[in-house]
Each structure stands twice: as structure tokens, then as C-alpha cells.
Amino acid sequence: GAAECALVIGEHAVLSILTEQIMHYAKCIEDKLHIFDISVRILMHRSDMSAAIACGIEVLSKLGEDFPKEVTPDVAIHFIEETNEMLDDMTNEKLIDHKAMSDSNKIMAMNFLTRLFEAFFMIRPSDQPIVVLKMVQLSVKHGMSPMSPLAFALYGSFLASMGNIHEGYRYARIAKALLEKIGSRRVAGAVIAYSTQLMAYAEPVQSVINFHIEGGKA
């Protein structure tokens, strides 16, 4: 809409007026979500990552998804163990054929988590794994959204960084299959970039070159 156009061309003064009007007349959280998303993007464009993260976490809370205020080692371990338990009986086939996410609030939560991942990368990279684990958990519990292929590609990268290349490669393959099934191109470049890094450890480089080239075009 008009707000999206104002963001793209950098008309922040116009955008502020439009967002204030929408916020004033909006009757429910669903009416405000798109503006919240634009607000987070504006803050990121201005390199105000702390404010972008705070806004994203506030929106997640409104969507019923709390994010820890502080990521301590105990919090990280809890998220890892909880995710492992949820994935314990999920074969590759079960994950790839898993139901589609239908709850609009959860779909939006996945979108905001993706924004948070980008913001955390800039100022709090140690908190990124919690975002990834949260995205995987939502995908398993509520179904696959257009952001789920990225969630599993990042999860595979996380596992590989912890020394588990075999499992990391497994989730890279799952991410690739989900991307092909869901068909969303919004995060295709990132999915392919993370996945090919892992696939190159387990497959001949020649076999992943075409997939890598596709990522460059996405």
C-alpha cells in the first residue's frame, strides 16, 4: 500500500503520517501488524537495531509468543533440549510432508522472528540461535510457513557450528526440500546460501554448484 511505497522511496515523513493514521483507526492487532513490520524495517534501515529488536519482541508478545529478555546459558540449554524433544520422532519425510501453518498470528510471528534474526546478527549474534530454535519449534507445532525453510537451514547451520556436521547437513537437505515444496521465494536466497555451505561438506562441490547459482539469482 501507500506505506510500503513510502518506505521503499525513503519518504519517512510521509510514512510517519500514514502509520499514525493507521494506528489511530485500527481496531485490532491484525490491522496494525503490517505497520509494525514496516516500523521494524525503518529502524533497521536507520541502523537502530536495539529499537528494532525491542519493537519486534513487543509484537511477538502481542502475537502470543514470548521471547526471553535475557539469553543466559540456562535459557539456551532449555531451548535446545525443548527443540530436540520436539524433533525427536520427526523423520525427514514427516517434516517435509508436515502440515501447512494456518494460524495467521503464527505466520506473522515467523515473519517477525525472521526480522529479529537479521537485527540480532548486527548487535547480539549470541542471541540468534534462540530465534532459530523458536522458528523451528513454531514450524513443528503449528505447521510450515513460508519462513520455515529458512528456519531449518539456519538450524542446520547452528548444529554444524556446534560440530554436528551430519545433522546440520540433514536439516540443510530438509530446508531445500521445503523450499521446493512451499515455493516461497522471499527467503530463497538465504536458504540456498546457508544450505549450500553445509551441502558442500557432504557432497561433491560440483553437485551443489547449480543450487548455489540458483541462490545468487533468488
Side-chain angles (χ1 to χ4, degrees), residues 157-185:
S157 182
F158 169 67
L159 293 175
S161 72
M162 301 292 288
N164 195 340
I165 299 293
H166 177 73
E167 279 295 284
Y169 170 66
R170 175 195 170 203
Y171 285 103
R173 296 289 298 177
I174 290 171
K176 180 177 181 292
L178 285 171
L179 183 64
E180 293 170 353
K181 178 184 177 183
I182 294 172
S184 172
R185 307 306 295 174

Side-chain angles (χ1 to χ4, degrees), residues 76-90 133 136-137 140 155 158-159 162 164 167 170-171:
I77 290 171
H78 170 74
F79 267 85
I80 292 170
E81 290 178 344
E82 192 173 48
T83 305
N84 287 341
E85 184 177 340
M86 293 177 72
L87 289 169
D88 193 43
D89 65 343
M90 297 292 286
L133 295 168
V136 170
Q137 290 179 9
V140 174
Y155 184 58
F158 169 67
L159 293 175
M162 301 292 288
N164 195 340
E167 279 295 284
R170 175 195 170 203
Y171 285 103

